[in-house]
Amino acid sequence: MEKDDKRIEDLVNKLMKADSLEKAPLDFTDTVMSKIEALSESKAIVYKPLISKYVWWLIASGFVALVGYILFKQPNNTISLSERYNLPEVSLNPLEGLSFDFSSTLMYATVLFAIMVSIQIPLLKQYFNNRLSF
């Protein structure tokens, strides 16, 4: 075991003698920093949205025009909107026939889960903001 260690050590020493260390130029740090400063000064980050305001206004006006055309294309009669377009009658209470029976354990677990989530979200947000600060 000791002989193997001695041979490995001799081999490493022989390789280290044969290999020379590379040295950086004297002004390496200054050159790198000057290039970084030149990049940061020349390319300021400017926010440019994917969809411009002009296109958003065009989409909104097209939507309003379409809704206006649908509503006002027929003459205004005393017919209701649901009768005019043959819309079904819509109930405003879709859950009127359903009844839920929750156990008290489930209610406590749900409330505890909501409290824990509301505590953890700000803590995680603060942790990641501190971790990603420059």
Side-chain angles (χ1 to χ4, degrees):
M1 187 68 113
E2 209 171 290
K3 290 180 183 180
D4 290 337
D5 289 341
K6 182 71 173 158
R7 286 194 316 206
I8 291 173
E9 187 177 337
D10 289 340
L11 177 65
V12 169
N13 287 337
K14 197 182 293 183
L15 289 173
M16 292 297 285
K17 286 179 185 176
D19 193 20
S20 63
L21 295 177
E22 294 182 21
K23 294 185 179 181
L26 293 176
D27 62 340
F28 177 76
T29 305
D30 294 333
T31 306
V32 170
M33 291 306 292
S34 65
K35 288 183 180 180
I36 290 173
E37 288 173 1
L39 284 175
S40 65
E41 290 174 0
S42 65
K43 293 184 179 180
I45 297 172
V46 178
Y47 171 74
K48 186 177 179 185
L50 293 176
I51 301 174
S52 65
K53 287 183 181 181
Y54 172 75
V55 175
W56 279 116
W57 280 106
L58 192 65
I59 291 171
S61 61
F63 181 74
V64 168
L66 181 66
V67 169
Y69 175 75
I70 290 172
L71 289 178
F72 300 117
K73 74 176 180 177
Q74 292 181 354
N76 194 3
N77 296 337
T78 57
I79 302 172
S80 70
L81 190 63
S82 62
E83 291 174 358
R84 181 188 300 176
Y85 296 110
N86 295 327
L87 297 175
E89 292 296 325
V90 178
S91 171
L92 295 178
N93 191 2
L95 301 176
E96 81 183 61
L98 297 175
S99 68
F100 296 106
D101 232 3
F102 295 120
S103 67
S104 60
T105 307
L106 180 63
M107 292 298 285
Y108 292 140
T110 305
V111 169
L112 184 64
F113 178 73
I115 290 170
M116 294 310 246
V117 166
S118 64
I119 290 171
Q120 281 185 354
I121 289 175
L123 290 176
L124 286 173
K125 183 174 180 349
Q126 181 182 9
Y127 170 75
F128 284 115
N129 284 344
N130 289 341
R131 195 172 126 200
L132 296 176
S133 63
F134 296 103

